[in-house]
Amino acid sequence: MPNQETGEKINFLKNQDCDVLIVGAGISGLISAREILKADPELKVIIIEGKNRVGGRTHTVELKCAGGETEKWDIGGQWVGETQIHIINLIKELDLETYDQHAGGITWMQIGSSKQKKYTIIPPVEDTRYLVDSVDVITKNLFGISAAKMSFLYFLVYVKSGGNLDDLIGSSDTGADAMKIAGGTQQISQKLCDIVGWEKIYLNQALLKLKFLDEDNGETHVEAIVQSTLDETKISKITAKRVILAIPPSECSKIRFQPSLPFDKKQLFEGFPQGHYLKFIATYEIPFWKEKGFSGGMFATGFTDNPGEAHPLNAVYDATSKTGKPALIGFAVNKTWSDVTPKVRKEAILQDLARFFGDEALRPVDYIDKDWRQEIFNGGCPTGIIPVGNMEAYARVREPWKMIHFAGTETATMWIGYMSGAVQSGRFIPQP
Amino acid sequence: MPNQETGEKINFLKNQDCDVLIVGAGISGLISAREILKADPELKVIIIEGKNRVGGRTHTVELKCAGGETEKWDIGGQWVGETQIHIINLIKELDLETYDQHAGGITWMQIGSSKQKKYTIIPPVEDTRYLVDSVDVITKNLFGISAAKMSFLYFLVYVKSGGNLDDLIGSSDTGADAMKIAGGTQQISQKLCDIVGWEKIYLNQALLKLKFLDEDNGETHVEAIVQSTLDETKISKITAKRVILAIPPSECSKIRFQPSLPFDKKQLFEGFPQGHYLKFIATYEIPFWKEKGFSGGMFATGFTDNPGEAHPLNAVYDATSKTGKPALIGFAVNKTWSDVTPKVRKEAILQDLARFFGDEALRPVDYIDKDWRQEIFNGGCPTGIIPVGNMEAYARVREPWKMIHFAGTETATMWIGYMSGAVQSGRFIPQP
């Protein structure tokens, strides 16, 4: 039965045995499935996914846009760059088309006060406060979290995994924000499902528990307790020889392991929350910002000079589609804008856009925003962050335990937190 | 049907409506139930508990001991002190008997090296390294975690909640370790169940999800999705007007809230792991340590001079029962001793006891240890700790959200983390 909303196929899960159980039908889980089946097509692979769609933190949506038409935009992961070889190779292999992120014109930068300044590049450090606020802009945009909340050591590891800070913050031509995928990034996962076989994928299935079953012959199996999210009274038991958890560390910490995870790994996962992105897309009849000489770009701390007051937007980008339909997208990271009603939030975001680009911003053709905190089986976006003081066990993040393997972009060594890291992590194939 | 192992009564949960759903049959959940029913005996109160017993982090077990007899000891929360007024009043009310912790004689103290020293009190600070290690001894004993892993701000809040550091580390006569309860602390919860009514308590029931149901008349209810831990295919749905989560913050973070918890509270709970105690009890024919002039007490960092090597024990106490049966109890906090086999662990613990008290320690009458990390619905002991950098939202720990109230010792304002805090927290009654 196809999913009414997303057009994806829904299979019904029954109690069964398999060789490999993969948890998570995002990019890394699906790459794992493809690699395992490439190595041995005879293996029985089952992929369970908690959401009603594949793609994980990539999510492509359709909006009304200029000329009375509709077009697709990404409300999740969006950009790729040249040095992200794992995702670039996959895009070629899947025959997807990329196009450049528009960057011409003046980009706004607002650091730490209500005064606004125009810059085309990140400005030089003027004073300590300015430096602190600049770092805050960077961590809010890269991780969805204020600099004060995260480990500097993790920041360094993360940046190193992508090459250098210039590439990560997208100010270079080869940077992480250089290109987009025509038609949206969720196609990556959908095309991987075509290859792997949709019959192996079970949507709306939440993993509750992993129990180790020790057998007489010395071989150990895992029993997975799985709950349907559509009918919560429906529980399935899957036994598997290997399990791949291709989900964020914060989601691993919600699963009951019997026995418990090793000490280090348990403490690491319990202190590895997701950052918090609220992403919006607004489509327009005309690209009024370009006509005024603006790139459509804006970066801000969101702070104002008035204590307790904050602007919603921390970043905005031109999001004109491959077909030339004008749009702006951006992120609200400041927590102030999380617990308000959708109506209040939309108004504040459009007002903030108008503050930079003019009142035309108040009248979009269509508008959508998504609070990734509300997305089940992520509980945040774009990536997990490690708070101050929890890096001690970090080296164990990708270490297998018994027959459980850990994938997902947080376990990558190149481009951690990006789609490219998800692809790389999915390629650490367990040896059956 | 009574629980075969604990003698407690097992009720079978059906789909139903109630006024108040209490999650967790530890001290705070049961006090909540008692207070609510005191205020209005007509309210329908349901208490669900994930474990197969009541008592939470208090757990009383029976061991063989001197003279071929058996006696009860606490493998969980154990001590109370005079200034812990909430638990002291409850003990009186429940007609339980206390007796003094034995403290006479020489107490061992080993700070940061394999050299041993004898002290009767905590020694003066000699150098910086010594100071650091002394703090480590304190945090390992109070929280089950190394000082490097926790917020100093939280440490201060915690100590203040108990009065002062002297009272917490038990070096004063009125301190937190001054008295024990004859027959064990789990009796507190069992007697509260007698008062509240066992028919209201459902063991082996795990809360998976809380969904808000908005009704037409403006009244909002919560639907709780509850899974039996004995038969995982059995799911019950309980709707409630109020919910009290009398469980640790780390357990709250495993529940799926729909919609998501408020931003601050979500991030706080995701960064509020439990400390890690492994507690042992060894019973002996004679109190050989007393005969040698030792108190039976020992405090150590567990560090040795050899990198990568650690002794298991961080604290030992005389645990002679009210009836005079000799025993030693203690804690292994160092992670090194968590992932080894029970046999290796037992041998290392007894060897470490012998290092301080003599070879008689190698031959206990009975021995038990419990890795609280393996205890479902706690995942650690004695209390939640806040790592460096996560105190921003701490003030919201006990703030209700919609009709959900948060209890448990981590939400107390007096004696946070102690049984007394659990009692106090259970008394913050929601206004129906």
Side-chain angles (χ1 to χ4, degrees):
Chain A
M1 183 183 93
N3 180 324
Q4 300 301 318
E5 201 182 321
T6 63
E8 288 163 2
K9 291 146 191 91
I10 291 184
N11 302 308
F12 294 99
L13 190 60
K14 293 197 178 74
N15 292 354
Q16 59 194 289
D17 297 341
C18 66
D19 293 302
V20 185
L21 172 65
I22 297 174
V23 183
I27 293 173
S28 70
L30 294 168
I31 286 285
S32 292
R34 192 192 63 161
E35 297 295 312
I36 289 165
L37 291 166
K38 238 191 227 173
D40 184 354
E42 297 302 309
L43 286 174
K44 183 171 176 195
V45 174
I46 287 180
I47 305 161
I48 59 171
E49 165 58 51
K51 304 177 202 265
N52 67 351
R53 59 175 181 81
V54 301
R57 282 167 272 179
T58 63
H59 190 188
T60 303
V61 293
E62 202 164 77
L63 291 175
K64 286 177 282 182
C65 60
E69 295 184 43
T70 61
E71 181 57 271
K72 286 181 173 172
W73 274 272
D74 282 311
I75 196 79
Q78 173 169 13
W79 292 284
V80 296
E82 254 176 39
T83 66
Q84 297 177 341
I85 50 167
H86 294 96
I87 189 79
I88 292 292
N89 288 341
L90 182 63
I91 286 168
K92 282 182 192 152
E93 189 191 325
L94 299 178
D95 210 21
L96 290 166
E97 195 183 351
T98 58
Y99 65 107
D100 287 349
Q101 167 67 34
H102 171 71
I106 293 166
T107 295
W108 286 98
M109 173 73 76
Q110 180 185 330
I111 301 287
S113 94
S114 57
K115 297 191 192 78
Q116 298 166 23
K117 294 173 182 172
K118 295 174 189 178
Y119 288 104
T120 51
I121 53 159
I122 290 190
V125 171
E126 288 166 4
D127 57 36
T128 313
R129 177 73 222 171
Y130 200 95
L131 175 63
V132 170
D133 290 339
S134 303
V135 173
D136 211 57
V137 167
I138 292 170
T139 60
K140 279 178 178 163
N141 280 288
L142 288 184
F143 301 95
I145 202 149
S146 164
K149 304 278 280 183
M150 73 177 293
S151 162
F152 180 56
L153 198 51
Y154 187 62
F155 179 83
L156 294 178
V157 167
Y158 193 91
V159 169
K160 183 75 169 78
S161 85
N164 58 64
L165 192 55
D166 260 8
D167 276 355
L168 262 76
I169 59 179
S171 59
S172 77
D173 288 346
T174 59
D177 296 353
M179 295 182 284
K180 295 181 282 188
I181 295 172
T185 55
Q186 205 180 344
Q187 294 172 97
I188 297 169
S189 297
Q190 285 158 342
K191 280 175 175 265
L192 285 172
C193 290
D194 292 340
I195 294 169
V196 165
W198 285 94
E199 76 285 356
K200 297 184 181 68
I201 295 155
Y202 297 85
L203 300 177
N204 305 300
Q205 298 294 338
L207 176 62
L208 301 180
K209 192 171 181 179
L210 288 176
K211 282 194 283 194
F212 290 94
L213 307 174
D214 288 304
E215 293 185 357
D216 291 338
N217 59 5
E219 210 184 341
T220 309
H221 287 204
V222 188
E223 182 183 74
I225 308 293
V226 180
Q227 181 185 40
S228 164
T229 62
L230 298 180
D231 174 1
E232 282 146 338
T233 63
K234 196 179 168 308
I235 301 288
S236 308
K237 295 183 180 184
I238 311 293
T239 61
K241 290 179 193 153
R242 302 271 172 162
V243 175
I244 299 175
L245 294 177
I247 56 178
S250 53
E251 292 296 315
C252 288
S253 77
K254 294 192 174 78
I255 296 165
R256 300 205 183 270
F257 293 88
Q258 193 178 319
S260 166
L261 281 177
F263 184 87
D264 273 351
K265 206 144 182 145
K266 178 172 183 288
Q267 286 216 330
L268 179 67
F269 288 170
E270 284 176 354
F272 207 145
Q274 286 283 304
H276 176 255
Y277 268 1
L278 186 138
K279 186 172 180 179
F280 80 89
I281 307 169
T283 63
Y284 293 97
E285 282 296 346
I286 54 164
F288 55 90
W289 56 94
K290 288 183 185 173
E291 291 168 5
K292 294 178 185 185
F294 296 126
S295 68
M298 184 281 281
F299 302 94
T301 54
F303 301 145
T304 77
D305 285 339
N306 302 325
E309 189 190 52
H311 292 304
L313 293 175
N314 300 102
V316 180
Y317 295 83
D318 175 280
T320 304
S321 69
K322 181 74 168 70
T323 58
K325 303 295 180 189
L328 293 171
I329 66 104
F331 305 101
V333 174
N334 287 342
K335 64 184 180 184
T336 320
W337 301 94
S338 289
D339 297 330
V340 299
T341 66
K343 189 166 174 290
V344 168
R345 195 162 67 202
K346 177 181 174 180
E347 272 170 27
I349 285 173
L350 293 179
Q351 285 289 349
D352 214 14
L353 281 179
R355 198 161 65 89
F356 291 100
F357 304 112
D359 281 351
E360 299 96 322
L362 298 172
R363 294 174 294 278
V365 176
D366 205 353
Y367 173 93
I368 188 174
D369 65 33
K370 176 165 180 155
D371 178 359
W372 277 86
R373 177 181 48 140
Q374 301 291 353
E375 175 88 354
I376 52 165
F377 307 106
N378 288 126
C381 219
T383 185
I385 61 104
I386 301 188
V388 180
N390 200 24
M391 281 294 283
E392 210 179 19
Y394 175 65
R396 299 190 64 177
V397 67
R398 63 187 71 86
E399 190 179 276
W401 176 57
K402 298 183 189 251
M403 72 290 283
I404 301 181
H405 299 260
F406 298 85
T409 189
E410 283 86 356
T411 70
T413 59
M414 287 175 70
W415 290 102
I416 302 169
Y418 289 80
M419 292 187 280
S420 199
V423 176
Q424 189 214 16
S425 81
R427 288 200 168 146
F428 294 131
I429 319 162
Q431 302 303 319
Chain B
M1 186 183 94
N3 181 327
Q4 299 301 318
E5 202 182 322
T6 62
E8 288 163 2
K9 292 145 191 91
I10 291 184
N11 302 308
F12 293 99
L13 191 60
K14 293 196 179 76
N15 292 353
Q16 59 193 291
D17 297 342
C18 67
D19 293 303
V20 184
L21 172 66
I22 297 174
V23 183
I27 293 174
S28 71
L30 294 168
I31 287 285
S32 293
R34 192 193 63 163
E35 296 296 309
I36 288 164
L37 291 166
K38 239 190 228 173
D40 184 354
E42 297 301 309
L43 287 174
K44 183 170 175 196
V45 174
I46 287 180
I47 304 161
I48 60 171
E49 165 58 52
K51 304 177 203 265
N52 68 351
R53 59 175 181 82
V54 302
R57 284 168 272 179
T58 62
H59 189 188
T60 303
V61 292
E62 201 164 75
L63 291 177
K64 286 176 283 183
C65 59
E69 296 185 41
T70 62
E71 181 55 273
K72 286 180 174 174
W73 275 272
D74 282 311
I75 195 79
Q78 173 169 11
W79 292 283
V80 296
E82 255 177 37
T83 66
Q84 298 178 340
I85 51 167
H86 294 95
I87 190 79
I88 293 291
N89 287 341
L90 182 62
I91 286 168
K92 282 181 196 152
E93 188 190 327
L94 297 178
D95 209 19
L96 291 166
E97 193 184 352
T98 57
Y99 65 109
D100 288 349
Q101 168 67 36
H102 170 71
I106 293 164
T107 294
W108 286 97
M109 173 73 77
Q110 179 185 332
I111 300 287
S113 94
S114 56
K115 297 189 195 80
Q116 299 167 20
K117 295 172 182 173
K118 295 176 189 178
Y119 289 102
T120 51
I121 54 158
I122 288 191
V125 171
E126 287 166 5
D127 57 36
T128 311
R129 177 73 223 171
Y130 201 94
L131 174 62
V132 170
D133 290 339
S134 303
V135 173
D136 211 57
V137 168
I138 292 169
T139 60
K140 279 177 178 164
N141 281 288
L142 288 183
F143 301 95
I145 203 149
S146 163
K149 305 278 279 183
M150 73 177 293
S151 163
F152 180 57
L153 199 50
Y154 186 61
F155 179 84
L156 293 178
V157 166
Y158 194 92
V159 169
K160 182 78 169 81
S161 85
N164 58 63
L165 192 55
D166 259 7
D167 275 354
L168 262 75
I169 59 179
S171 60
S172 77
D173 288 346
T174 60
D177 297 351
M179 294 181 284
K180 295 182 281 187
I181 294 171
T185 55
Q186 205 179 342
Q187 295 172 97
I188 297 170
S189 297
Q190 286 158 342
K191 281 175 174 266
L192 285 171
C193 290
D194 292 341
I195 294 169
V196 165
W198 284 94
E199 76 287 354
K200 296 184 181 67
I201 295 154
Y202 297 85
L203 300 178
N204 305 299
Q205 299 293 339
L207 175 63
L208 301 180
K209 194 172 179 177
L210 288 176
K211 282 194 284 194
F212 290 94
L213 307 174
D214 287 305
E215 292 185 358
D216 290 341
N217 59 4
E219 208 182 345
T220 308
H221 285 205
V222 189
E223 182 182 73
I225 308 293
V226 179
Q227 182 184 37
S228 163
T229 62
L230 298 180
D231 174 3
E232 282 145 336
T233 64
K234 194 177 169 311
I235 301 289
S236 309
K237 296 183 178 184
I238 311 293
T239 62
K241 290 180 193 154
R242 302 271 172 161
V243 176
I244 299 175
L245 294 177
I247 57 178
S250 54
E251 293 296 315
C252 289
S253 77
K254 293 193 175 77
I255 297 166
R256 300 203 183 272
F257 292 89
Q258 191 177 321
S260 165
L261 281 176
F263 185 87
D264 272 351
K265 206 142 179 145
K266 178 173 183 289
Q267 286 216 331
L268 179 67
F269 287 171
E270 285 177 353
F272 207 145
Q274 286 284 305
H276 175 257
Y277 267 1
L278 186 138
K279 186 172 181 179
F280 79 89
I281 307 169
T283 62
Y284 293 97
E285 283 294 345
I286 53 165
F288 55 88
W289 56 94
K290 288 184 185 172
E291 292 169 4
K292 295 178 184 184
F294 297 126
S295 68
M298 185 282 282
F299 301 95
T301 55
F303 302 144
T304 76
D305 285 339
N306 302 325
E309 190 192 50
H311 291 304
L313 293 175
N314 300 103
V316 180
Y317 295 83
D318 175 280
T320 303
S321 69
K322 180 78 167 70
T323 57
K325 304 294 180 188
L328 293 171
I329 67 103
F331 304 101
V333 174
N334 287 342
K335 65 183 180 185
T336 320
W337 301 94
S338 289
D339 297 329
V340 299
T341 65
K343 188 167 173 291
V344 168
R345 196 162 67 203
K346 177 182 173 181
E347 272 170 27
I349 285 173
L350 293 179
Q351 284 290 349
D352 214 14
L353 281 180
R355 200 162 63 90
F356 291 100
F357 304 112
D359 282 350
E360 299 95 323
L362 298 174
R363 293 174 295 276
V365 175
D366 205 352
Y367 173 93
I368 189 175
D369 65 32
K370 176 164 179 157
D371 178 357
W372 277 86
R373 177 182 48 140
Q374 301 290 352
E375 174 89 353
I376 54 167
F377 308 106
N378 286 127
C381 219
T383 184
I385 61 104
I386 301 188
V388 180
N390 201 24
M391 281 295 283
E392 210 178 19
Y394 176 65
R396 299 189 64 177
V397 68
R398 62 187 72 86
E399 189 178 275
W401 175 57
K402 300 185 188 250
M403 72 291 284
I404 301 181
H405 299 260
F406 298 86
T409 188
E410 283 86 355
T411 69
T413 59
M414 286 174 70
W415 289 101
I416 301 168
Y418 289 78
M419 292 187 281
S420 198
V423 176
Q424 189 213 17
S425 81
R427 288 199 169 146
F428 294 132
I429 318 162
Q431 302 302 320

